[in-house]
Every structure is written in C-alpha cells, then in structure tokens.
Amino acid sequence: MNYQALLDEIYTEVQPLFGQGHVADYIPELAKIDGRKFGIALETVEGECFKIGDATERFSIQSISKVFNLALGIRIVGDQVWERVGVEPSGNPFNSLVQLEYEKGIPRNPFINAGALVITDILLDHLDHPNEEMLAFVEKLRCLDINYNEEVAQSEIQTGYTNLALANFMKAYQNINHGVEQVLDAYSHQCSIEMSCVGLAKSFLFLANGGIVPKTGERIITAIQAKRINAIMLTCGFYDEAGAFAYLVGLPGKSGVGGGIVAVIPKKLAIAVWSPELNERGNSIRGIRALELFATRTGMSVF
Ligand SMILES: NC(=O)CC[C@H](N)C(=O)O
C-alpha cells in the first residue's frame, strides 16, 4: 500500500471542506487557533511514518487525552475503574449533565467529560505529581514532542462551569473523592496537552499492538485491556456522533475539540488528523471526512 500517495490524495480532496464549521470558542484560548490548519500522520506498527500538511505542528489534544487518562487508570487499578464509570455510549453531548441525574452520578463511559473526571479522581489517589506523571506516561508511549499549554489549561479552569457542575454533582453521589478544584485542575491540564499528528499516531500505536509499544516492546496494558479501550473508542469516542463515525469510518477513534482525531487499525497502524473547524457535535469536519476516505480507499476497518 502506497500510504504517502493516499495521504496526498486525501489531503487535496478534503481541503475544500474548509469554511463549513467553527473553531471551538467556549474555551477562550482555543478560539485563537487558525481554522485552516490541516495535517495528517500515520505510523505503522512496523515503524514506518507518513505525513502531510501541518502534521508536525503541536495542537491542543483536548478530549483525545481521555484515552491516555483511561489507559493510565486501567494500568494502575485495572478493572476497578468500572466500579465508578460505565461502558455504554451516551448518545449525548460530551459535557451533558442530564444523564448523570438519572444514573445517580455514574457516568455512562470514560470518554465523556463526567467519565474522564471520575478517572482523573481515581488517578489522584495514586499519583503524587499528576501533571508530571501524565506527561511521563505519554512519553513512554513514544511521543516525545509534547507539552502542557498553561494558557489553555487556565482558560478552561476559569470558564469550565459545566465541568465544575459535573464534578460537584458526582461528588454529591460520592463518585468524586478529591476536591472538585483539584480534579478540575488535573483534568484541564490533561486536555491542554499539545501534541502533533505525528506524536499522536505514535502514541496510539500500543492500542494497535495489543497493549505493547512496538518501538520499545514495553507492555503498557494487557491485550484484553487494549481491546476494551478500542471497543470503547468505537462506541463512545465521538459522543453523540459515535454511531455516524462507526458507520462512515468503522474504526476505533477519539476526537477532541482542538480539532484532532486519532483512529486505530488493530495490528496495522494508527492515524491522526488535525483540522480545527468542528461540526455542531464538536468533531472535526475535515478530520472525519479524511478518515472516511482513508478507510474506504484502503478497505481497512474493523468490520
Ligand atoms: N470534547 C472535548 O474535547 C472537550 C474537552 C474540553 N476540555 C472540555 O472539557 O470541555
């Protein structure tokens, strides 16, 4: 398969979709990003890397960090995470409050904000320096071009009223143990992590490789745990658009409101796309289309 030619072709074909969406602005710092940015990177489990456009520029990974959060949580406490968060698609926006009330403070899954806040709370029981240890974890996944963006983190901390409400609500149900400000601080820092498409593709490869980082041979989680994270990405990675992503693309994936999407083809590769203009569900318009074309033209999907 000539991946480079395919990425070139998809990049050109998807470019004209620019102008159809909006850059996220509910976190004020994110509104500053240039909506024309567009990059794609792919890395195979054998270590071949292909890229095009703004693939080496770092951007705010936002909710893509929820996958690192969950992987680290599972690595530390294993199946205990499922005592406090579910594995069902929510069918609701990523920051929705309504379901939590019906379901008594137990979030539907770890990839909506409420679920990630609970996993963060679990991590705080085990990490002495959560921000440093989260970065070190992602570096272990072979992504070395990574940093926190303190302006983005503070911007979210200062305006994250909905996340604060989610955390407080879950605390009322004893599903948040630490102080809500402490949980919000760690969560917002995770979301503010900046990585490039190349870095994201590299760092997701352990999920394509049964839980082992191909480059180093280090086992991060068990093969079953990797399968489960992929399954949750497929069913919950795009909030109330997870069904459409499975229908169009057919791959486990995770999006973020910074405009990034990473998808995994088990046993083969990880691919990351960045294009900041989002649709009304908070997912990258050109990102979804690029991945749809990639899955269709390669004939690769999990189905
Ligand atoms: N979907 C997202 O990327 C949302 C992440 C963002 N930090 C928030 O909590 O609202």
Side-chain angles (χ1 to χ4, degrees):
M1 175 81 57
N2 187 342
Y3 286 127
Q4 190 60 54
L6 183 58
L7 293 193
D8 295 351
E9 183 184 300
I10 291 171
Y11 184 83
T12 310
E13 209 167 314
V14 174
Q15 276 288 10
L17 295 184
F18 174 71
Q20 296 190 0
H22 298 282
V23 170
D25 58 5
Y26 74 99
I27 299 173
E29 231 8 71
L30 291 184
K32 296 180 179 167
I33 198 74
D34 178 357
R36 281 166 302 199
K37 296 286 180 189
F38 186 26
I40 314 177
L42 173 168
E43 184 151 319
T44 66
V45 289
E46 290 83 23
E48 284 181 299
C49 183
F50 305 90
K51 56 182 185 290
I52 182 149
D54 301 311
T56 56
E57 187 170 328
R58 295 183 210 186
F59 62 93
S60 197
I61 68 167
Q62 293 297 316
S63 277
I64 296 172
S65 64
K66 292 178 168 74
V67 179
F68 301 134
N69 189 38
L70 178 63
L72 186 54
I74 285 181
R75 180 175 158 92
I76 296 172
V77 303
D79 282 348
Q80 274 177 40
V81 296
W82 308 124
E83 291 164 13
R84 292 174 53 188
V85 62
V87 292
E88 294 297 338
S90 69
N92 274 303
F94 59 82
N95 55 3
S96 171
L97 278 154
V98 285
Q99 232 162 22
L100 266 187
E101 184 166 15
Y102 291 121
E103 298 179 1
K104 303 196 171 13
I106 306 291
R108 272 282 171 109
N109 68 67
F111 292 159
I112 49 175
N113 288 13
L117 289 165
V118 168
I119 305 287
T120 304
D121 188 60
I122 293 172
L123 286 179
L124 290 176
D125 286 339
H126 299 274
L127 306 180
D128 295 330
H129 306 286
N131 295 352
E132 288 84 345
E133 289 173 63
M134 178 56 76
L135 272 201
F137 176 64
V138 182
E139 283 171 356
K140 199 191 277 293
L141 305 177
R142 298 297 304 154
C143 178
L144 304 176
D145 60 333
I146 176 172
N147 60 274
Y148 287 111
N149 182 322
E150 200 53 41
E151 282 80 42
V152 172
Q154 293 308 328
S155 183
E156 176 157 23
I157 290 166
Q158 280 155 23
T159 59
Y161 306 112
T162 310
N163 287 335
L164 206 53
L166 289 166
N168 271 305
F169 192 79
M170 292 188 290
K171 195 161 177 70
Y173 279 99
Q174 283 90 45
N175 202 14
I176 291 286
N177 297 326
H178 295 84
V180 289
E181 278 83 13
Q182 194 190 354
V183 176
L184 254 295
D185 187 279
Y187 167 85
S188 302
H189 275 90
Q190 286 166 21
C191 291
S192 82
I193 289 176
E194 293 187 328
M195 292 167 69
S196 67
C197 289
V198 170
L200 279 169
K202 279 188 198 305
S203 64
F204 268 63
L205 267 184
F206 78 106
L207 291 172
N209 194 43
I212 296 174
V213 178
K215 195 95 175 179
T216 58
E218 182 173 355
R219 178 169 290 288
I220 301 297
I221 49 177
T222 67
I224 292 288
Q225 290 169 334
K227 181 184 99 169
R228 293 196 170 137
I229 293 180
N230 284 333
I232 303 168
M233 284 203 289
L234 183 85
T235 53
C236 310
F238 298 81
Y239 327 110
D240 42 347
E241 202 172 9
F245 190 81
Y247 173 81
L248 293 171
V249 182
L251 290 172
K254 186 73 202 82
S255 65
V257 292
I261 301 182
V262 193
V264 169
I265 302 187
K267 301 188 170 55
K268 289 198 169 69
L269 56 87
I271 177 167
V273 187
W274 174 43
S275 171
E277 282 194 344
L278 310 177
N279 62 21
E280 64 288 350
R281 268 124 181 214
N283 297 315
S284 168
I285 291 178
R286 288 192 295 191
I288 290 181
R289 181 69 181 144
L291 291 169
E292 180 190 357
L293 291 176
F294 182 81
T296 305
R297 301 218 172 132
T298 55
M300 289 179 186
S301 88
V302 294
F303 298 107

